[in-house]
Amino acid sequence: EYDEDASRRHYLALLSPGEIACVLSHREVWHLIRDGEEGAAVVLEDDAAFAGRRDELSQVVGEIARSPRPELVKLYNRSRPHCPAGNYRRRHPLLPALTTTAQALNRSAAQALLAFTETFHEPADVIIQRWWDHGVRVTAMEPPLFTELGHGSNSTIRSASESPAEGRLLRELRRPLFQAGRLARAIRGRIRSR
């Protein structure tokens, strides 16, 4: 399922064994959601902690469960909320946050993501970010309904020992160009969806 050649051509680096396992575990969860009896589910990583109102979480999950379109809601993001605490809203960011700490998705989103990742070359959070390619509407809760326990920094799934210093340097040099391309595709996707 992992396309190493596509990672070389289209991503910043080859995926680590941990990143590959992470995508495969997301695919397992998406299978469960697609084949399950519920219309939607909340997916949490082990460092997610509930920090919102239960009624708001129930409302969001109910909304996407009834939605005829593929929907995924980021329930946690690292950015600061743009609205006062307690005044919840969903927004549709141009580039969703690169995190999979806490999210809710419906059955049709699980199906779309499974089809999109039959072969993959990027980490799970980068795959989910590509709403313009897989067709899942990715929104984010503000303020977030979950926080991240622990250090709250970037993923530790790729250790320094897995990538030599020159590989890390090359990846960091390529990152601005990769992000600019991602932003351009998101803008084109937003224009097409209007």
Side-chain angles (χ1 to χ4, degrees):
E1 295 162 322
Y2 172 55
D3 187 340
E4 191 173 296
D5 187 48
S7 278
R8 281 191 185 89
R9 288 181 287 126
H10 303 295
Y11 187 58
L12 298 170
L14 296 178
L15 298 190
S16 70
E19 288 170 317
I20 294 168
C22 183
V23 174
L24 294 174
S25 70
H26 279 274
R27 284 184 50 81
E28 284 185 34
V29 170
W30 297 336
H31 275 286
L32 292 171
I33 295 168
R34 183 198 63 191
D35 300 338
E37 294 181 21
E38 303 297 325
V42 174
V43 180
L44 305 172
E45 292 186 353
D46 61 352
D47 57 350
F50 189 64
R53 292 191 341 228
R54 295 189 196 294
D55 62 324
E56 194 64 36
L57 179 61
S58 294
Q59 180 179 336
V60 168
V61 173
E63 285 173 4
I64 66 170
R66 292 184 299 274
S67 176
R69 66 193 295 180
E71 293 206 48
L72 183 146
V73 181
K74 296 269 189 172
L75 302 171
Y76 164 78
N77 63 64
R78 291 183 183 101
S79 65
R80 292 188 164 187
H82 296 87
C83 60
N87 295 327
Y88 292 96
R89 68 180 178 141
R90 280 173 56 193
R91 66 179 183 87
H92 185 221
L94 193 57
L95 285 175
L98 289 175
T99 175
T100 58
T101 301
Q103 54 196 321
L105 65 155
N106 63 12
R107 181 179 290 121
S108 54
Q111 177 62 44
L113 289 166
L114 282 168
F116 188 69
T117 58
E118 285 182 6
T119 60
F120 62 89
H121 64 276
E122 299 171 309
D125 56 352
V126 177
I127 290 166
I128 291 169
Q129 187 183 56
R130 292 174 56 188
W131 58 266
W132 56 89
D133 287 329
H134 52 59
V136 176
R137 181 172 186 254
V138 180
T139 57
M141 287 300 298
E142 286 186 348
L145 293 171
F146 286 82
T147 61
E148 191 175 43
L149 298 174
H151 50 77
S153 66
N154 289 338
S155 174
T156 57
I157 205 163
R158 177 187 293 272
S159 71
S161 64
E162 289 180 33
S163 177
E166 55 275 2
R168 290 192 306 273
L169 177 61
L170 180 59
R171 187 170 58 247
E172 292 309 313
L173 290 173
R174 293 177 60 197
R175 190 176 305 279
L177 185 59
F178 176 79
Q179 291 172 331
R182 183 64 48 111
L183 181 59
R185 287 189 290 280
I187 290 169
R188 281 195 304 270
R190 184 66 57 91
I191 291 168
R192 280 193 314 257
S193 67
R194 289 187 181 197

